Amino acid sequence: MSISRFPVVDLVDLPEDLRARIEPIVERTGFVPNVFVGMGHRPNELRAFMDYHDALMDRDSGLTQAEREMIVVATSAANDCLYCVVAHGAILRIRTKDAEITDRIVANWRTAPVTDRQRAMLEVAVKMARTPEEVSGADLADLRELGFTDADIWDIGSVTALFALSNRIAHLADLQPNPEFFTLGR
Amino acid sequence: MSISRFPVVDLVDLPEDLRARIEPIVERTGFVPNVFVGMGHRPNELRAFMDYHDALMDRDSGLTQAEREMIVVATSAANDCLYCVVAHGAILRIRTKDAEITDRIVANWRTAPVTDRQRAMLEVAVKMARTPEEVSGADLADLRELGFTDADIWDIGSVTALFALSNRIAHLADLQPNPEFFTLGR
Amino acid sequence: MSISRFPVVDLVDLPEDLRARIEPIVERTGFVPNVFVGMGHRPNELRAFMDYHDALMDRDSGLTQAEREMIVVATSAANDCLYCVVAHGAILRIRTKDAEITDRIVANWRTAPVTDRQRAMLEVAVKMARTPEEVSGADLADLRELGFTDADIWDIGSVTALFALSNRIAHLADLQPNPEFFTLGR
Amino acid sequence: MSISRFPVVDLVDLPEDLRARIEPIVERTGFVPNVFVGMGHRPNELRAFMDYHDALMDRDSGLTQAEREMIVVATSAANDCLYCVVAHGAILRIRTKDAEITDRIVANWRTAPVTDRQRAMLEVAVKMARTPEEVSGADLADLRELGFTDADIWDIGSVTALFALSNRIAHLADLQPNPEFFTLGR
Amino acid sequence: MSISRFPVVDLVDLPEDLRARIEPIVERTGFVPNVFVGMGHRPNELRAFMDYHDALMDRDSGLTQAEREMIVVATSAANDCLYCVVAHGAILRIRTKDAEITDRIVANWRTAPVTDRQRAMLEVAVKMARTPEEVSGADLADLRELGFTDADIWDIGSVTALFALSNRIAHLADLQPNPEFFTLGR
Amino acid sequence: MSISRFPVVDLVDLPEDLRARIEPIVERTGFVPNVFVGMGHRPNELRAFMDYHDALMDRDSGLTQAEREMIVVATSAANDCLYCVVAHGAILRIRTKDAEITDRIVANWRTAPVTDRQRAMLEVAVKMARTPEEVSGADLADLRELGFTDADIWDIGSVTALFALSNRIAHLADLQPNPEFFTLGR
């Protein structure tokens, strides 16, 4: 099974700035996540994707990093996206040190033992993922009542939106998760 | 009706580099497209979005710019996204100098008088937009038989993916198109 | 592109009574709307359609004529019906002298700046258009609470029902809107 | 259970021409079908409906009357329309002298022991009833290959379209079938 | 039309215990219901099915036997399952001595003149039949408020579940109802 | 989190015959699978379920036991059934000694590296699980062409049908998988 339906590049053939950003990840995880070599034939797109990702996922947010990964896993599961479910499932296991909650979100996010606040967050995110036209002002008002700020709500919607993009790239390329991701954090 | 459910920034309050990119657009069109002031409260995300957009939409591609805008309009219509339908409908009118074809794609892309090749391109794009998990290797093979290269297919899928993101941001913010967009190019 | 997949008749070949009804429309608009020549090969069906149409659309109703056209455009957009979206979009522009509201209803009726009453009216109409089996007594009670009379509610449902018919005839025939409709009232 | 959510009129209070058309039906069946008294508060609409109905259902067509009733029953079942399923189920039993085939079409039209030609006819009709935007030129070409003329295809689509209207009026009014219809023709 | 796509066995060729259970049914109804001869090539599966069926349908429950048959007919209609609609429609007619209510549930369960309690029961059952992942604790709480005990709710869900199995076996085999079932109890 | 919304029984309180069947499983796995104690308040239904299960899953079939578990996992994932995904995911890991293939089937069965034959088997099974009314003779003919016998096809459909039941019982009860299942076989 090849990594992608499209050209795959070697890390060494990526532009210097991208290599410099990816190498620390490789050192930390011990392997090159396939998303980088699968999108690397389009370095400008990969760079923009990484910039968007880091802007959202690493920012100082009212949502914890684990909560943002919950959104990624729940919406990617709703989109049946293997790469994102497996790779971000691994990240969520690492962030939560809880493999069971991750497996629950993959199978059915409604069964995860999360707070009411997190449940509402996931409900809006999954609706936004699958039928964005049905997300209404009332949904946002519900989130505000549970204490989410406008900045938090922007993060919920934007993480969902970024992985709406990412899931489609992965489906397009039939992008394969690295074998390591399946077991990481278990 | 406010432009967005979230904070709106003035063009002058954007970081210098973003202002420098947006000002020529303002000069050309005569107004500041609301997407910039609506996403401007998150300059890093706006910058990444613009980078991704320009990387895909301005690149030297096997798809014409009009074809890429057709994908944007057809998939945004499938997602009922007002901002993208109206703003990119205007761009498509300008690119094609044909208001009728644009109105047809908005109402029902299947009725647009396009080539068989373009029809196949839109069919895969709209499927990717709404049910990405159903896009299969057979769909890509169909495109290849019509003469699309792998790079072209990547563009079809990626434009769709980028506006899957963009449509969701617009729905999240209830982002309003500038009034000028409704008539531009008519 | 031919006007229809089925035989198209000349206005002069229509029965006298139909010609007498259509000619004033032609004089007013300056062209023969294709629905007449596209359905004209079945004069009895065309006559019944026109009778039903006039009975509902010209009657003295609690709904304004613009509101009835809003229903036509919103439900035809839900059905992706090019002919009705374009032809009745033109009529709605003329009735409202507002091209923007029309374009909004075509793209996504939820984004139109209408009254709460009109929003409720469109919500029930679109549900009736797509999943009539889900319209319940509770939906009608909601309309009554907003001040709609039983006669108004009958009109909402019947306009939707008539264009459920009309949209299907147009899809069957792949009926083409006259080019004039695209710009009328802009 | 009242006959309708809307005003019900007595046969004697209908305009003379409508009464004259309905009375022979009453004599033949022994009761006044509720559709007449349920739509009678809008005589112009009732008259137009009857005209459209007779133009299509009584015309000399390439489809037998039984085949046209099969379309009515199958599409009304797809729309969960009690009145039309029960009333036209009765008519279909009378036309076919076969209660079993009628019950099969009500439960699942695919299980009815019909000809390949009739199966194709019902397939297009049910698609037209539920997702008219998906009916394509290829569907019509399939029907032509099975020997249906253009006039026959118009009839298939138009009968479906007329009952798309009728089903919605019945759902709107929660129109009740006369008790006699349940047993007629069994 | 053959009874099944799979082997059909004679009653006499069934294991003794199954024959002993089926014969009284044959004596009572006058014919061998096709489900027995259609599943008989797998006697262990047939026996387990009959055991499950009798455990649920014959137990002393807070739901009447007619109510349990209502669930069978409504959910089988939602699944377009001819065999179960026709065979259990007959049983429901016998239990209720009311052919009309049965025909109403087949066409559209929402139109059946049942109690509010029964309506709520059917609503949850049909949701469980088609989209079980959407049945939530709130649905069960609604049933409890209407006086259903936990044992009753288990019965509602389990009858639905058993016929989710049975409908699929019938679709798999294209199992034909005995002609007698169509008229039994009318 | 309680194991079930319904009464949970102790293994010792089950009828002797059930205890005798379950105890060897407990000895082999080291814990009592919650399905037994969650269904145990209805011993007759539990017994029938176990009988049906063993008749299908332990029989000498043209499908390997791993293939039958693939069907269980793929269809349970399509139904978002946590209990069955997790418990049978564990069994599939044990049968295949391959955790990755199991995770792939949970996320998206189309991405599993299976044979063409197995892919076709899963395609029909998932269709049967979600929209059984759409499974046609043509689907079965496709399976036969790939070498499946009628007995194999019965097994594919029946395993799907049995877990259509089981998934619904699990959703009804909000049945929780034992924590051990999440890691078993990894």
Side-chain angles (χ1 to χ4, degrees), chain A residues 118-135:
Chain A
Q118 289 167 335
R119 185 170 310 279
M121 170 188 87
L122 292 176
E123 184 145 34
V124 173
V126 170
K127 191 199 273 195
M128 177 70 84
R130 294 297 291 179
T131 49
E133 68 280 9
E134 292 181 6
V135 174

Side-chain angles (χ1 to χ4, degrees), chain E residues 4-7 38-39 41-42 44-46 48-49 51-53 55-56 59 78-80 128-138 140 144 149-158 160-169 171-173, chain F residues 4-7 38-39 41-42 44-46 48-49 51-53 55-56 59 78-80 128-138 140 144 149-158 160-169 171-173:
Chain E
S4 166
R5 290 172 176 145
F6 294 88
M39 289 187 74
H41 67 107
R42 291 283 179 99
N44 293 338
E45 298 166 30
L46 173 56
F49 176 72
D51 289 347
Y52 213 130
H53 176 278
L56 268 177
R59 77 187 291 272
N79 284 332
D80 285 359
M128 177 70 84
R130 294 297 290 178
T131 49
E133 69 281 10
E134 292 181 5
V135 174
S136 70
L140 273 61
R144 269 185 217 105
T149 65
D150 276 9
D152 298 340
I153 294 173
W154 181 272
D155 285 344
I156 294 170
S158 294
T160 303
L162 180 63
F163 283 85
L165 178 154
S166 175
N167 289 177
R168 281 164 179 79
I169 298 290
H171 274 303
L172 175 70
Chain F
S4 166
R5 290 171 176 148
F6 293 88
M39 288 187 75
H41 66 107
R42 292 283 178 100
N44 293 339
E45 298 165 29
L46 174 56
F49 176 72
D51 288 347
Y52 213 131
H53 177 278
L56 269 177
R59 77 188 292 272
N79 284 331
D80 286 358
M128 176 71 83
R130 296 296 291 178
T131 50
E133 68 280 10
E134 293 181 5
V135 174
S136 70
L140 273 60
R144 267 185 219 106
T149 65
D150 275 8
D152 298 339
I153 294 173
W154 180 271
D155 285 344
I156 293 170
S158 293
T160 302
L162 179 64
F163 283 85
L165 178 155
S166 176
N167 289 179
R168 282 163 179 79
I169 298 289
H171 273 302
L172 175 70

Side-chain angles (χ1 to χ4, degrees), chain E residues 88-102:
Chain E
H88 287 270
I91 299 173
L92 182 57
R93 283 195 297 270
I94 290 167
R95 295 246 185 264
T96 58
K97 301 189 197 316
D98 184 345
E100 186 179 313
I101 199 175
T102 303

Side-chain angles (χ1 to χ4, degrees), chain A residues 55-76:
Chain A
L56 269 177
M57 303 304 278
D58 297 344
R59 77 187 293 271
D60 192 26
S61 160
L63 308 181
T64 65
Q65 285 191 305
E67 285 171 337
R68 282 171 273 177
E69 292 296 337
M70 281 180 196
I71 294 173
V72 177
V73 176
T75 61
S76 298

